[in-house]
Amino acid sequence: MLKLNIAVGILAFAVYPLPIQASILIRVVDGDSVIARIKGKQTNIRLACIDAPEIGQPPYGRMAMNTLSGLLPRYSQITIQPIEFDRYNRLVANI
């Protein structure tokens, strides 16, 4: 029974990873990317499950960035849940 409880605990940890506290959100890059400080290191983060226009795609790119900036003000405390790294070495995460 103890082995079963340990296995369930390990499985629960793998399915629901612990969130990482980011000390501050440094800035919003565009509608689906931000830069945050995690454990003293600046990290590029792409928001999971969001595909926004790039900043150079008028007029919606700028609108997407302004909307995200309104939701995530500079230097605010955020909690991230990392998922993976993309091909550009950005952390893909839920915020």
Side-chain angles (χ1 to χ4, degrees):
M1 188 64 170
L2 179 61
K3 289 181 182 180
L4 177 63
N5 288 341
I6 292 172
V8 169
I10 291 172
L11 180 61
F13 180 74
V15 173
Y16 299 103
L18 297 176
I20 297 176
Q21 290 289 328
S23 58
I24 56 171
L25 175 81
I26 297 173
R27 71 182 184 96
V28 172
V29 176
D30 58 21
D32 58 5
S33 301
V34 299
I35 298 175
R37 187 177 311 276
I38 301 173
K39 297 182 182 177
K41 181 182 173 192
Q42 284 191 13
T43 305
N44 291 325
I45 302 172
R46 186 173 65 82
L47 301 180
C49 302
I50 297 199
D51 185 20
E54 297 302 318
I55 195 72
Q57 295 177 316
Y60 301 109
R62 180 70 59 186
M63 290 171 60
M65 184 185 85
N66 290 341
T67 300
L68 187 58
S69 294
L71 294 171
L72 297 172
R74 288 184 101 170
Y75 308 113
S76 58
Q77 292 279 343
I78 59 172
T79 302
I80 64 166
Q81 182 183 25
I83 297 172
E84 64 182 359
F85 284 90
D86 66 7
R87 63 182 175 187
Y88 302 108
N89 203 30
R90 294 178 298 184
L91 177 63
V92 178
N94 293 315
I95 293 182

